[in-house]
Amino acid sequence: MIAQTSAGSETRTPAPGSAAPSAREHHAAALLALERRLARDPSDDEAYRLRALTLADLGSSILASEAVAARPALFATHEIERIQGDAIARRIGWGRVEPESPTRRLDEARAALEALRVLQRNAPRRTNWERTRLRVDALSALNSLQRHQEVVDGYDALLADGVEVPAYALGTVGDSLLALRRPEDASRVLEAALAHRPDDVNARILLAYAWMEQERFDLAMPLFETLAASQPAWPRQPGARAGYENWDRYSADLNLALAHSYGNDQARAEAMLHALGNIGPANPGLQAAIGAMESRRRRPAAALERYDMALTADPQDRDALAGRVGALTALDRIGAARDAYAALDATYPEDPRLVRVERALDRHRGVQATLSANRGRSRARDGGSPQSPFGSRDGGHALDLRSPLIDDRWRIGVLAQDTWADFGADTGAARTRYRSAGIGGWYRHDRLGASATVSRVSDADDRGATAWTVAGDWRFSDAWHAGAAIARLDPQASLQARRLGITADSLTLSAAWTPSDTVGLDARASRLRYEDGNIRDQLGLDATRRLLSRPHLMVDGLASVHVGRASQGDRTAYFNPERDASATLGLRADHITWRRYESAFQQRFEIAAGPYWQRGQSMHWVPSLGYRHLWRRDGHEFEYGAAWSRPVYDGAREQRVAFDVELRWGGAR
């Protein structure tokens, strides 16, 4: 059966029931025929020209470009420019393929960009579209080279010239804008891309991240969820006996899990990522994503293990190389962290996150300081003098300044404090102080931490006395930590006792169990040995449990139990219950009011109440309220807050109001 084409040539239609040959098969057959013609007569110009055009139609644009370069007179200008443009685009695409040697990872992209620039300089395009196409394709090459500012500059120049940038390039521009931390601009560009290509999975993922980086989780999460639901795991072509792997579904599932992690729902992210890990345990990108989640769950050793698994499968995995630096830093293996950073820098020197990774490592290694101050006031319910160990008024300030790391393990520094309290009816008339200044040394590497400080006490009561502390701690695992400390002339001892010239030494043992970011249990046992022979023992247990996790709101349940005993009991002239105990239940709500990457403003509300019992006195309920602000910027923190409570001392109800402020610089602990 013969049918006529619009050009008047004959084409044979297939018989009923037979499969129609594809366009690619037609071109392949034509190429074979042309190769035979050229084999018979290499000077056949028409066969040579048709062979080059057919190679271009088959996607062999680089071979076609080489053929055009050898005999350009046989081709029209628009054909030459189209084929050369196709060859440049193909070379840019090859630049995104993993190379045989990591050292040559960017060679293809650099060569493609240089070839493109040569065409622009030496052979300006006469065809308007081809001239624009080179400018657009340059954006893709620059993006591969992580030269994101140049991508955005090129895009802006196109817009300034009145060029409507093709939809296929808008995703590249959006990616560069995100790398430059311009999520508002990125979202506008990516929305335009999706208006033209609504099924572009990568553009939808990038748009969701752009929303997230603007803290619009209400827009980002539905986009991630809709994308994952729209992608079948094993699509099947009509008539096919089996489906094929849908990597878009993998990308959608992976990024949905990571979005939950960024939104503080680490438990859900963990479940989703481990489910994916059970399917593809050898996937390096997936193992690196699990490592990032483990880091956010405060399990740096588990994170490091996942990053190492990823690098075993792919030694050049970018996310794993970057993640190892943070995990090793959190584990206080600073020498190894510096080596990990060097490996990242050598492999991906163009990665924009390199600057942030280096900054975080330098901040940890640099100067650390904590400056704090507090004020408080206590009033007796009946209007008399308060019995509080804090006095009627109290306050103080302290400085802890430590040097940069020495040999990746040591710090030296200075510390000073001034703590005071007013006892008696006349404010200031019976003020008791503890003032000291001294030096210290701190060691921390891997599992072990240790410190020693020596201070000279300079207040009137103990002028010239020497106070010192020795402390150590050990990390058994990500979850378990324990420590011990001994202090001479402990500043935490009762100022009421100090008013009478009685000082105290102390021994403290502590243990903490923090299996994740949502659960914590801290135990502390201490003994204070006062100079008057009184020995006071205290035991405390504090627990937290995450009750609600939202992108901007976390609510924790609080519980604590504290018991104490004293050898001399009420026979002392300072508050010293022979036996006492308290139990408290409460809630803590943290609201992230504003956040922009590493900078944030957070509000904290805390409410608690529980019974307090003292031998010889009735049981009383003690309520407390707290409200705080926390500002974070590049790892530095500024925190202040107020607290109100109604404690009971020796059966007398009091009201206490306190305010404190603290500046932590350089990630000080």
Side-chain angles (χ1 to χ4, degrees), residues 270-518:
E270 181 176 16
M272 296 174 70
L273 288 171
H274 280 297
L276 292 173
N278 292 335
I279 297 172
N283 185 320
L286 181 55
Q287 294 298 339
I290 296 175
M293 178 274 303
E294 294 284 11
S295 287
R296 295 187 192 98
R297 300 225 75 180
R298 301 177 187 172
R299 303 170 184 156
L304 182 62
E305 182 180 25
R306 292 290 180 168
Y307 291 136
D308 288 342
M309 291 170 66
L311 292 172
T312 299
D314 178 7
Q316 308 305 316
D317 188 276
R318 187 191 305 253
D319 293 332
L321 287 171
R324 287 189 85 251
V325 183
L328 288 165
T329 302
L331 291 168
D332 292 298
R333 294 165 57 182
I334 306 303
R338 288 193 297 108
D339 293 341
Y341 171 80
L344 176 66
D345 187 23
T347 310
Y348 296 101
E350 77 291 347
D351 194 326
R353 92 180 98 179
L354 193 67
V355 174
R356 297 191 290 274
V357 172
E358 180 183 27
R359 186 182 302 151
L361 180 57
D362 287 345
R363 185 167 55 244
H364 184 90
R365 298 173 62 207
V367 171
Q368 293 188 349
T370 301
L371 179 63
S372 62
N374 63 86
R375 292 292 298 269
R377 182 170 183 172
S378 299
R379 291 182 177 179
R381 186 175 183 181
D382 58 7
S385 297
Q387 303 301 308
S388 168
F390 298 103
S392 57
R393 284 185 173 85
D394 64 281
H397 51 268
L399 170 68
D400 185 333
L401 178 63
R402 304 181 187 183
S403 71
L405 276 175
I406 302 170
D407 194 29
D408 292 330
R409 303 184 183 192
W410 296 89
R411 295 183 192 272
I412 57 174
V414 297
L415 60 161
Q417 64 175 317
D418 180 2
T419 304
W420 56 267
D422 291 339
F423 299 97
D426 297 327
T427 300
R431 177 162 293 185
T432 301
R433 311 190 77 102
Y434 181 99
R435 287 185 290 191
S436 67
I439 60 174
W442 293 265
Y443 173 90
R444 185 164 295 278
H445 175 66
D446 201 5
R447 298 177 181 271
L448 176 64
S451 66
T453 65
V454 178
S455 300
R456 178 71 68 177
V457 180
S458 59
D459 58 83
D461 296 324
D462 280 304
R463 188 179 302 277
T466 300
W468 53 263
T469 64
V470 176
D473 62 84
W474 182 263
R475 174 178 55 82
F476 295 93
S477 66
D478 280 340
W480 285 99
H481 299 71
I486 302 175
R488 166 67 176 163
L489 297 181
D490 191 340
Q492 302 303 316
S494 170
L495 284 176
Q496 277 184 323
R498 188 170 185 80
R499 180 184 57 160
L500 304 173
I502 302 170
T503 61
D505 304 331
S506 68
L507 169 65
T508 303
L509 302 177
S510 62
W513 178 67
T514 52
S516 72
D517 60 314
T518 58

Side-chain angles (χ1 to χ4, degrees), residues 91-115:
R91 295 182 71 175
I92 291 172
W94 279 115
R96 297 183 181 275
V97 177
E98 194 68 26
E100 293 182 2
S101 170
T103 59
R104 305 191 58 175
R105 183 176 48 80
L106 298 177
D107 287 357
E108 286 285 352
R110 292 193 186 100
L113 182 61
E114 178 58 27

Side-chain angles (χ1 to χ4, degrees), residues 243-255:
Y244 60 90
E245 297 172 333
N246 183 8
W247 286 100
D248 286 340
R249 171 60 181 270
Y250 163 75
S251 296
D253 285 345
L254 176 63
N255 286 285

Side-chain angles (χ1 to χ4, degrees), residues 544-567:
T544 62
R545 178 71 169 88
R546 179 66 48 82
L547 303 178
L548 177 69
S549 291
R550 294 292 183 270
H552 300 107
L553 178 65
M554 290 81 70
V555 178
D556 294 313
L558 308 175
S560 64
V561 176
H562 293 263
V563 297
R565 68 179 183 182
S567 61

